[in-house]
């Protein structure tokens, strides 16, 4: 047996006693850095009267499948309980918080929660992405108004400013995309393909796929225009009514009214992107991402998810965001 093990280890180019891809060991120096970063953000959330919650490290697989769909569930780390039921490490914090509020809280009240902890996500092979992500974030549950959206965008900006002086806020609205997809009435497999294409901003592939789908040409052209309709507000606000049909431009008008009410200093940092549809299927309107110079991925993301609670048999509006702590 020892000879066989020796042979297998010799043949493998993977260090069997090292760490799996996508996780790191926190030494004292790195841990202190992350704790100081988290402490700054938690102090901000506490000062605004958000209450801390700690969702469980794992839940039933069906919880994440119900909230985020099969695409999210497939990327969760899953395992069987002793009774044979499937469990998953928490893929995000929003889903267990939504389940918790739906089943255990007074649903006539509004809640403001914050959290700080790890989520676990399977990543594509050879992408070099982390599979354990340390996050801090907030959720406002039970409130839905233009002023709440403005408040959360402002907090999103303030949180990013605690991480760097050189950052960009990207804002979008998923409603135009959802409306156009609804009008096309396409299959689930083609819908997943279109979502992947939008997240990659691959207009060539989108044009090819849409050519294979029956449907209104105006709707398909609108999707093609939507995928690269991004930039500074001043330019987009001049063009959107010329480019999109009224049922889309009306939605965009509502979005731009919100942006107009933001602080001028913040507006200078904002890029608008109507192709920012996100991976989670529960987003319902506003979407957000935060980028820091020289970091090749969004370090913060979030948005409004008014449809999520319906998946747990209750109807509550909600909005929130998460910021990744362990980036270099």
């Amino acid at each position: 047996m020892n000879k066989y093990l020796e042979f297998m280890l010799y043949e493998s180019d993977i260090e069997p006693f090292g760490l799996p891809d996508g996780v790191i060991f926190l030494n004292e120096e790195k841990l202190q850095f992350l704790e100081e970063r988290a402490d700054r953000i938690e102090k901000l959330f506490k000062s605004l009267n958000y209450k801390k919650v700690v969702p469980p490290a794992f839940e039933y697989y069906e919880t994440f499948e119900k909230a985020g769909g099969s695409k999210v569930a497939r990327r969760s780390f899953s395992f069987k309980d002793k009774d044979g039921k499937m469990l998953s490490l928490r893929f995000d914090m929003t889903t267990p918080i939504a389940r918790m509020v739906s089943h255990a809280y007074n649903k006539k009240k509004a809640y403001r929660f914050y959290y700080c902890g790890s989520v676990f996500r399977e990543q594509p092979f050879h992408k070099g992405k982390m599979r354990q992500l340390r996050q801090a974030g907030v959720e406002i549950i039970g409130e839905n108004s233009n002023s709440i959206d403005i408040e959360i965008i402002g907090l999103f900006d303030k949180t990013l400013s605690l991480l760097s002086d050189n950052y960009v806020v990207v804002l979008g609205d998923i409603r135009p995309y959802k409306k156009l997809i609804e009008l096309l009435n396409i299959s689930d497999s083609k819908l997943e393909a279109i979502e992947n294409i939008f997240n990659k901003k691959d207009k060539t592939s989108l044009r090819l796929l849409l050519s294979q789908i029956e449907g209104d040409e105006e709707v398909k052209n609108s999707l093609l225009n939507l995928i690269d309709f991004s930039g500074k507000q001043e330019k987009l606000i001049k063009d959107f009514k010329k480019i999109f049909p009224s049922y889309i431009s009306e939605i965009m008008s509502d979005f731009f009214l919100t942006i107009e009410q933001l602080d001028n200093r913040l507006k200078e940092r904002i890029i608008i992107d109507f192709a920012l549809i996100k991976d989670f299927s529960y987003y319902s309107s506003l979407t957000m991402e935060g980028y820091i110079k020289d970091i090749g991925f969004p370090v913060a993301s979030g948005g409004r998810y008014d449809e999520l609670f319906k998946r747990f048999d209750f109807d509550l509006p909600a909005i929130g965001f998460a910021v990744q702590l362990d980036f270099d």
Side-chain angles (χ1 to χ4, degrees):
M1 182 64 183
N2 287 340
K3 289 290 185 184
Y4 178 75
L5 181 58
E6 258 182 35
F7 171 76
M8 293 300 292
L9 293 179
Y10 177 78
E11 290 293 309
S12 174
D13 60 356
I14 299 173
E15 170 56 62
F17 304 114
L19 287 172
D21 289 341
V23 295
I24 59 173
F25 184 90
L26 295 177
N27 59 28
E28 182 179 6
E29 181 181 358
K30 183 69 172 176
L31 182 60
Q32 182 179 353
F33 174 76
L34 288 179
E35 287 180 340
E36 288 174 354
R37 180 179 276 176
D39 187 56
R40 290 197 302 271
I41 293 174
E42 287 197 65
K43 282 181 178 177
L44 172 63
F45 296 159
K46 286 179 184 177
S47 73
L48 297 171
N49 295 318
Y50 287 84
K51 307 301 181 185
K52 188 171 186 177
V53 292
V54 182
F58 55 87
E59 299 227 7
Y60 289 117
Y61 176 90
E62 288 81 3
T63 298
F64 295 101
E65 185 177 42
K66 183 184 290 187
S70 59
K71 183 179 177 182
V72 164
R74 287 198 303 267
R75 288 180 56 203
S76 67
F77 284 94
S78 302
F79 52 98
K80 280 190 176 182
D81 202 352
K82 290 180 180 179
D83 61 4
K85 292 181 180 177
M86 286 296 293
L87 306 175
S88 292
L89 294 178
R90 60 190 182 210
F91 187 88
D92 68 332
M93 295 288 198
T94 297
T95 294
I97 290 174
R99 180 204 54 76
M100 172 185 69
V101 171
S102 295
H103 290 86
Y105 277 66
N106 180 345
K107 301 174 185 65
K108 294 181 180 179
K109 293 178 63 177
Y111 297 96
R112 294 180 175 226
F113 296 127
Y114 83 89
Y115 54 81
C116 188
S118 292
V119 296
F120 305 88
R121 299 173 183 175
E122 188 55 274
Q123 304 287 7
F125 287 120
H126 309 304
K127 293 293 185 180
K129 294 183 177 180
M130 298 301 296
R131 296 196 285 176
Q132 179 180 357
L133 309 172
R134 291 162 181 86
Q135 294 184 337
V138 298
E139 314 286 351
I140 299 179
I141 299 167
E143 296 186 64
N144 182 9
S145 68
N146 184 257
S147 62
I148 293 296
D149 287 4
I150 292 169
E151 177 185 338
I152 209 73
I153 294 170
L155 181 55
F156 189 73
D157 170 69
K158 180 67 173 176
T159 305
L160 285 168
S161 74
L162 296 178
L163 301 175
S164 172
D165 295 326
N166 200 338
Y167 64 92
V168 172
V169 174
V170 182
L171 300 180
D173 192 317
I174 200 171
R175 290 176 295 171
Y177 171 83
K178 284 192 169 183
K179 179 65 176 178
L180 293 169
I181 291 297
E182 176 188 319
L183 292 171
L184 278 182
N185 191 28
I186 60 177
S187 67
D188 288 344
S189 60
K190 283 190 169 62
L191 173 59
E192 185 171 346
I194 289 177
E195 287 178 357
N196 289 333
I197 287 169
F198 258 76
N199 284 322
K200 295 176 181 176
K201 293 187 177 295
D202 184 353
K203 193 170 186 176
T204 301
S205 295
L206 179 62
R207 182 178 285 107
L208 178 62
L209 182 58
L210 289 176
S211 69
Q212 302 167 12
I213 296 173
E214 293 185 5
D216 190 294
E217 289 302 316
E218 180 184 68
V219 174
K220 292 196 280 186
N221 285 333
S222 293
L223 268 175
L224 284 168
N225 288 327
L226 194 69
I227 198 171
D228 57 8
F229 194 63
S230 60
K232 299 299 288 186
Q233 178 194 358
E234 307 84 65
K235 180 183 183 301
L236 300 187
I237 206 166
K238 293 177 182 177
D239 298 338
F240 76 99
K241 289 183 180 179
K242 304 172 189 174
I243 296 174
F244 296 98
S246 59
Y247 57 86
I248 297 300
S249 61
E250 287 172 5
I251 299 171
M252 291 182 172
S253 292
D254 181 58
F255 170 81
F256 282 122
L257 281 174
T258 299
I259 304 303
E260 277 295 324
Q261 297 175 64
L262 296 174
D263 178 82
N264 286 330
R265 180 201 58 79
L266 172 52
K267 281 194 281 189
E268 292 176 0
R269 289 191 179 273
I270 289 175
I271 293 174
I272 307 299
D273 185 359
F274 281 96
L276 186 62
I277 65 169
K278 312 291 290 174
D279 288 333
F280 294 103
S281 63
Y282 53 60
Y283 286 111
S284 56
S285 53
L286 175 70
T287 53
M288 307 184 292
E289 283 186 344
Y291 290 83
I292 289 175
K293 185 180 179 181
D294 298 328
I295 303 297
F297 55 86
V299 301
S301 64
R304 180 163 284 283
Y305 50 96
D306 292 342
E307 304 297 317
L308 176 58
F309 280 85
K310 292 179 182 178
R311 303 180 187 187
F312 295 106
D313 302 319
F314 202 77
D315 190 5
L316 281 173
I319 189 170
F321 66 83
V323 59
Q324 186 173 332
L325 300 173
D326 50 354
F327 65 89
D328 294 324

